[in-house]
Amino acid sequence: MDVSSKTSNDISFDDFKEQIISDYEIAFLSRTCSLLGRKEVLTGKAKFGIFGDGKELPQLAMARSFQNGDFRSGYYRDQTFMMALGLLKPKDFFHALYATTDIDKEPMSAGRQMGGHFLTHSLNPDGSWKDLTKQKNSSADISCTAGQMPRLLGLAQASKIYRNLKGLDSTKFSVNGNEIAWGTIGNASTSEGMFLETINAAGVLQVPMVISIWDDEYGISVPAKYHTTKENISKALSGFQRTDEEKGLEILKVNGWDYTALMHVYENAADIARQEHVPVMIHVKELTQPQGHSTSGSHERYKDHKRLEWERDHDCNKRFKEWILESGIATNEELESIEKKIKRIVREAKKEAWDEYLEDLLSAKKTLIDLIDKAALKSANRNFLNKLKNDLIASEEPIKKDLAITSRKSLRYLLGETSAEKQALVDWTAKFLKDSQNTYSTHLHSENENKATKIKAISPVFKNDIEQVDGRIILRDNFDKLFEKYPNVLIFGEDTGAIGDVNQGLEGMQEKYGNTRVADTGIRETTIIGQGIGMALRGLRPIAEIQYLDYIFYAMATLTDDLASLLYRTAGKQKAPLIIRTRGHRLEGIWHSGSEMGGLIHLLRGIYILAPRNMTQAAGFYNTLLKSDEPALVIESLNGYRLKERKPSNLGEFCTPIGKVEIIKEGTDITLVSYGSTLRIVEKAVKELLEVGIDAEIIDAQTLLPFDLEKDVLKSVRKTNRLLVIDEDVPGGCSAYLLNEIIEKQGAYRYLDSAPQTLTAKAHRPAYGTDGDYFSKPNREDIFEKVYEMMHEVNPKNYPSLR
């Protein structure tokens, strides 16, 4: 559907006069911030700037249709939208540029993200939810263009869930599912797979989502002809357009400089999405980017004279002003008066923000100078100390780094000296470093009382006469209890619903709880994770299922850039307690034997990574996680679903602790650390080692992130004085991580009589077949011989060479 400028005639002049003046003020305010923000970067006060100039008018229109309870999932051009909602003040804007670490002054991220990354606070100080239905909401931005799209799908789906799932308490989260998820993206970024996958999934799911595409015909320096088929995204996606016979998306097109047409199209889009739960795509064309992509370069380098002239003529703020004057809404003198006032407001906000940014630093500088001066008086190295002091005095606008460097270098000149003045400098430096570090390093995980590592362990209870069942039965029946206990728990993924997952750990659950709570999805891992993140941001407890661990890499960008960093980059102001369920480790073939734990551990800091050895342990992890509110990845053992286990009588209640290892067998000669499917092979090998007089202690790591918070492995090594880490990841993968944790972090090197070693899979992926597995990953004989070799080194007489 095209919306022409003729729709301007549909708008009442009297109804819009006050709104128009207000909108012009916001548009001019935002543009002035952009212009002055660029100058702050170029003068060195800020490190980088990326602004929303040229996109002001459509964002004003979007803001007009945005209601309480709605969510934005956008990107770094959306400052006008945030200003129009009253969620971003000019002083906030500049504090973000300066990276102020005070969350009250820089409410978007406390200086953890560069400017242009926006969010609202969803949580109270104790981590509990605010009433999201009574505020306008923005999920936290990430820099990766199109990275906001998967999350957008889940934010929209939450409204569908709240509208259609009966008996669900939606207090604080939804009013009958009326909320819209509003997405924004640049035209060039629609080339990303995340965008296209989200568009397709939205059309399938029919969720209340409005995507705005800001089209200025470039992606940094690259024109649209290199990005988009037909050089027009709405043309390229015309096959998604809904019809009277077929569901799909509503596709609207509008020029980004036409104020009244924009207002009309956004009202229309909101009505369709809010009432009908139909996704809408708005292609906002003929936009400009007056300052180029960012402060890292000038667009004069890649736009010719003709294009630059066109952009000046079609600048949306310029066209808006011309329309106001032509319509007689205001005179040129009135608008110039408004502009003059706003320029003054922005300049004052910039100065106030910079003064506030410097205030604590200048105070700390004064204190440090005094401490160094006093220490120098008692030191033989006073000349060197005085030089450091004078250099700091000459720094009129110091940053924390300057203070840290000066204080730490000062202590080098006081080596071997003893004085009260030196101790005062030592104490100040230690406190300054600790306090400064905390401003950058908190909230990787929850810091509230219900954090997952504080959930107490509850052991599974077994009756004496209990029969053994397939492990999948324990999972299935435990999920049944969880669905009964938590009405806001949902699970979804490929083959999750109708057949109850590929290993039937959800057998019969869809029939019992319906296809909203136990749902099948298409083959689209990225948006499966996006569904989970968005729904978790809105108070639901989703479990997103990735069929096999090897396929999680389709979603890795969303997991690492969005979910893993969410709590950190919002300084604890947003959370998404998503549980990712998958299965991996030993089976058959390259793509169904995944154990790429080292990569996951390094890329997913901020998400708990749990590797249970059996299904009872896995069920306990799900029970623990649903008592907490943190994200986690649970990797079930792919070859364990048909293995027999005792069935606990307290399903849904027992809790496997997170951050604690489990001692499977005590021993005296060597400590063996493993996890997952490999641990069962270790157990068999250890029985054979006993036959040759080697008594090994077996420890199940079970949670890899975090690992062994109580240092039980250290206690074991103190006893055995030898350590072998065994896993089926590649050399230098998870085993190297575990060695770092045990040897360096826990300090186990003090108690070792032999070099710590690892036994891993080969460097290649596992080959197909039983023999492929045997010669690709550690087997029972490998483990036996490795341990025996280590004992032979210790006592060759008792353990003569095998070969």
Side-chain angles (χ1 to χ4, degrees):
M1 180 189 297
D2 277 300
V3 180
S4 72
S5 60
K6 291 181 180 179
T7 56
S8 300
N9 297 326
D10 299 331
I11 307 299
S12 166
F13 174 86
D14 291 334
D15 290 344
F16 273 84
K17 183 172 182 179
E18 185 176 345
Q19 171 190 313
I20 289 164
I21 297 301
S22 174
D23 281 351
Y24 184 75
E25 290 176 342
I26 296 167
F28 192 83
L29 175 72
S30 179
R31 180 65 63 88
T32 305
C33 285
S34 294
L35 295 171
L36 197 51
R38 182 180 179 86
K39 290 180 180 179
E40 289 300 276
V41 175
L42 297 179
T43 57
K45 286 184 178 179
K47 296 291 288 185
F48 181 76
I50 194 159
F51 308 110
D53 46 303
K55 315 295 188 292
E56 289 90 351
L57 253 60
Q59 291 180 31
L60 291 169
M62 187 170 95
R64 289 289 175 186
S65 293
F66 197 93
Q67 296 183 7
N68 282 349
D70 287 358
F71 258 90
R72 166 191 168 274
S73 184
Y75 81 128
Y76 46 70
R77 299 292 182 204
D78 294 347
Q79 72 190 45
T80 307
F81 172 79
M82 296 297 287
M83 289 178 173
L85 294 183
L87 300 173
L88 178 70
K89 302 290 193 297
K91 192 157 69 169
D92 302 336
F93 172 90
F94 287 105
H95 270 301
L97 269 182
Y98 305 143
T100 301
T101 55
D102 184 337
I103 192 68
D104 293 325
K105 293 183 174 67
E106 203 284 89
M108 298 300 152
S109 74
R112 296 182 178 190
Q113 294 217 86
M114 62 187 182
H117 292 72
F118 308 116
L119 70 128
T120 52
H121 296 184
S122 298
L123 306 178
N124 295 308
D126 64 356
S128 62
W129 292 102
K130 291 186 173 184
D131 189 339
L132 304 184
T133 68
K134 294 182 178 178
Q135 65 180 42
K136 295 177 173 65
N137 304 286
S138 174
S139 58
D141 293 347
I142 58 178
S143 293
C144 317
T145 60
Q148 70 274 23
M149 290 290 102
R151 173 196 339 133
L152 172 66
L153 180 68
L155 289 167
Q157 190 181 7
S159 290
K160 191 178 185 76
I161 299 295
Y162 282 123
R163 178 172 289 184
N164 295 303
L165 190 59
K166 306 304 178 186
L168 184 61
D169 183 6
S170 63
T171 306
K172 294 186 177 183
F173 303 112
S174 180
V175 179
N176 195 37
N178 292 331
E179 301 79 22
I180 295 173
W182 300 79
T184 65
I185 188 169
N187 60 301
S189 295
T190 62
S191 303
E192 293 278 8
M194 290 179 177
F195 170 80
L196 297 167
E197 190 173 315
T198 300
I199 286 289
N200 180 62
V204 170
L205 292 171
Q206 291 292 285
V207 291
M209 181 171 87
V210 177
I211 296 180
S212 297
I213 300 168
W214 309 142
D215 189 351
D216 58 26
E217 299 184 22
Y218 281 84
I220 307 182
S221 65
V222 181
K225 65 181 180 180
Y226 296 113
H227 289 287
T228 310
T229 300
K230 302 181 181 180
E231 299 185 39
N232 186 305
I233 189 62
S234 53
K235 281 185 181 179
L237 296 180
S238 58
F240 286 90
Q241 173 72 54
R242 66 173 179 162
T243 67
D244 292 338
E245 295 78 30
E246 295 177 315
K247 294 180 179 179
L249 278 72
E250 184 60 69
I251 299 177
L252 308 176
K253 291 166 277 187
V254 64
N255 290 328
W257 45 262
D258 191 332
Y259 177 80
T260 54
L262 285 162
M263 291 296 170
H264 176 83
V265 78
Y266 273 90
E267 288 175 4
N268 187 25
D271 288 343
I272 293 169
R274 205 178 301 280
Q275 295 168 18
E276 302 177 46
H277 272 200
V278 169
V280 183
M281 186 182 81
I282 305 176
H283 183 189
V284 185
K285 303 179 295 179
E286 297 194 9
L287 287 169
T288 66
Q289 206 152 275
Q291 297 188 111
H293 174 263
S294 66
T295 54
S296 62
S298 169
H299 64 158
E300 284 83 358
R301 293 166 53 201
Y302 53 84
K303 292 176 183 175
D304 60 27
H305 175 75
K306 184 178 179 181
R307 174 67 193 188
L308 290 170
E309 185 177 357
W310 182 92
E311 289 199 8
R312 284 190 291 271
D313 290 341
H314 287 78
D315 183 300
C316 63
N317 279 15
K318 177 177 180 290
R319 294 292 295 268
F320 189 25
K321 182 176 182 178
E322 289 171 353
W323 178 78
I324 291 172
L325 295 173
E326 290 170 3
S327 302
I329 295 169
T331 65
N332 190 57
E333 290 74 17
E334 289 171 329
L335 295 184
E336 287 182 351
S337 176
I338 290 171
E339 292 167 3
K340 184 177 180 181
K341 178 187 71 174
I342 288 172
K343 286 180 180 179
R344 184 177 66 253
I345 289 170
V346 174
R347 285 195 302 269
E348 289 173 355
K350 177 189 72 72
K351 183 179 184 305
E352 288 176 14
W354 184 245
D355 289 345
E356 289 175 4
Y357 171 78
L358 284 177
E359 184 178 8
D360 290 341
L361 293 170
L362 292 175
S363 175
K365 170 188 169 181
K366 182 179 179 181
T367 301
L368 179 57
I369 288 170
D370 184 58
L371 289 169
I372 295 172
D373 188 52
K374 290 177 179 177
L377 292 174
K378 298 284 184 74
S379 175
N381 291 317
R382 63 175 60 88
N383 289 337
F384 296 103
L385 289 166
N386 284 332
K387 183 180 185 308
L388 286 175
K389 178 190 70 175
N390 291 333
D391 287 346
L392 183 58
I393 290 172
S395 176
E396 295 182 1
E397 297 176 339
I399 60 176
K400 291 178 183 179
K401 176 184 174 183
D402 299 328
L403 300 174
I405 290 172
T406 301
S407 64
R408 296 168 86 172
K409 283 188 173 181
S410 296
L411 295 178
R412 298 178 195 176
Y413 295 117
L414 295 169
L415 283 171
E417 298 183 9
T418 303
S419 69
E421 289 77 10
K422 173 189 173 180
Q423 190 58 48
L425 181 58
V426 168
D427 293 343
W428 185 93
T429 301
K431 185 177 186 306
F432 179 79
L433 292 175
K434 180 181 178 182
D435 291 346
S436 297
Q437 193 66 57
N438 281 340
T439 64
Y440 299 105
S441 298
T442 59
H443 293 101
L444 181 62
H445 295 285
S446 171
E447 299 181 2
N448 299 313
E449 287 303 308
N450 69 331
K451 65 185 299 182
T453 52
K454 287 191 176 183
I455 303 300
K456 292 183 179 179
I458 300 175
S459 299
V461 176
F462 302 102
K463 296 179 181 177
N464 293 330
D465 59 347
I466 200 71
E467 65 175 332
Q468 290 200 336
V469 299
D470 288 350
R472 73 172 188 88
I473 301 297
I474 294 171
L475 270 179
R476 181 198 67 187
D477 293 353
N478 193 76
F479 277 128
D480 190 11
K481 295 291 185 182
L482 293 178
F483 289 135
E484 285 182 1
K485 187 175 183 180
Y486 301 103
N488 61 346
V489 168
L490 312 97
I491 191 165
F492 47 91
E494 299 160 20
D495 297 312
T496 297
I499 69 169
D501 84 42
V502 289
N503 298 102
Q504 295 186 290
L506 292 163
E507 180 187 25
M509 294 298 101
Q510 186 181 79
E511 184 178 358
K512 184 172 182 179
Y513 293 101
N515 59 11
T516 297
R517 295 189 69 189
V518 184
D520 284 310
T521 70
I523 299 175
R524 46 175 180 78
E525 286 78 9
T526 297
T527 44
I528 289 172
I529 296 301
Q531 286 175 251
I533 296 173
M535 287 194 281
L537 281 164
R538 293 190 59 193
L540 296 168
R541 292 307 309 265
I543 302 173
E545 184 169 313
I546 301 298
Q547 191 173 72
Y548 296 108
L549 181 62
D550 298 275
Y551 303 154
I552 202 167
F553 293 99
Y554 281 94
M556 186 53 67
T558 299
L559 285 167
T560 186
D561 293 333
D562 201 349
L563 182 62
S565 69
L566 176 66
L567 194 72
Y568 171 78
R569 74 178 188 271
T570 66
K573 297 304 180 183
Q574 289 188 359
K575 63 182 176 182
L578 169 63
I579 299 170
I580 303 103
R581 179 194 182 209
T582 190
R583 47 197 67 82
H585 313 314
R586 293 177 185 262
L587 193 64
E588 301 293 348
I590 291 177
W591 312 116
H592 296 79
S593 306
S595 192
E596 305 91 347
M597 306 308 298
L600 296 173
I601 284 164
H602 296 305
L603 292 170
L604 299 183
R605 300 297 172 107
I607 299 175
Y608 293 126
I609 297 183
L610 315 176
R613 69 182 181 276
N614 59 39
M615 302 310 155
T616 301
Q617 200 179 28
F621 278 136
Y622 293 120
N623 298 340
T624 299
L625 290 167
L626 286 171
K627 287 186 175 182
S628 181
D629 59 358
E630 296 189 81
L633 169 63
V634 182
I635 305 165
E636 299 165 10
S637 293
L638 188 49
N639 60 2
Y641 294 103
R642 303 292 173 178
L643 297 180
K644 300 297 182 183
E645 299 182 35
R646 291 187 298 162
K647 185 177 179 181
S649 60
N650 58 339
L651 291 169
E653 300 297 331
F654 64 90
C655 293
T656 308
I658 292 175
K660 183 173 174 59
V661 301
E662 183 177 350
I663 299 174
I664 304 300
K665 175 196 169 297
E666 294 190 354
T668 56
D669 293 328
I670 187 170
T671 298
L672 306 181
V673 177
S674 189
Y675 59 89
S677 297
T678 302
L679 193 122
R680 293 197 295 272
I681 301 172
V682 172
E683 289 182 278
K684 293 175 182 177
V686 164
K687 289 180 181 179
E688 296 177 357
L689 285 165
L690 281 171
E691 296 172 3
V692 295
I694 298 174
D695 185 14
E697 183 149 300
I698 306 173
I699 295 180
D700 181 4
Q702 73 180 353
T703 78
L704 301 177
L705 280 181
F707 172 75
D708 192 15
L709 297 177
E710 297 181 9
K711 299 185 178 180
D712 287 326
V713 177
L714 175 64
K715 298 168 190 172
S716 175
V717 172
R718 281 176 178 167
K719 176 175 59 174
T720 67
N721 308 119
R722 276 169 284 281
L723 172 67
L724 175 64
V725 176
I726 307 155
D727 84 332
E728 54 182 292
D729 196 3
V730 296
C734 187
S735 58
Y737 159 77
L738 291 172
L739 273 188
N740 174 262
E741 289 284 312
I742 298 165
I743 302 303
E744 183 176 341
K745 192 172 179 180
Q746 294 188 5
Y749 67 90
R750 300 185 188 95
Y751 307 101
L752 289 172
D753 292 338
S754 302
Q757 297 194 43
T758 64
L759 178 61
T760 70
K762 300 299 184 286
H764 55 75
R765 285 178 178 259
Y768 172 65
T770 301
D771 284 345
D773 174 78
Y774 187 85
F775 288 99
S776 298
K777 294 190 174 185
N779 55 59
R780 193 187 314 184
E781 289 68 41
D782 289 337
I783 297 167
F784 180 97
E785 292 174 7
K786 185 70 171 180
V787 174
Y788 189 90
E789 176 189 323
M790 292 176 70
M791 297 305 296
H792 165 73
E793 181 188 25
V794 175
N795 191 338
K797 180 178 179 181
N798 287 353
Y799 308 105
S801 178
L802 276 170
R803 40 179 180 158

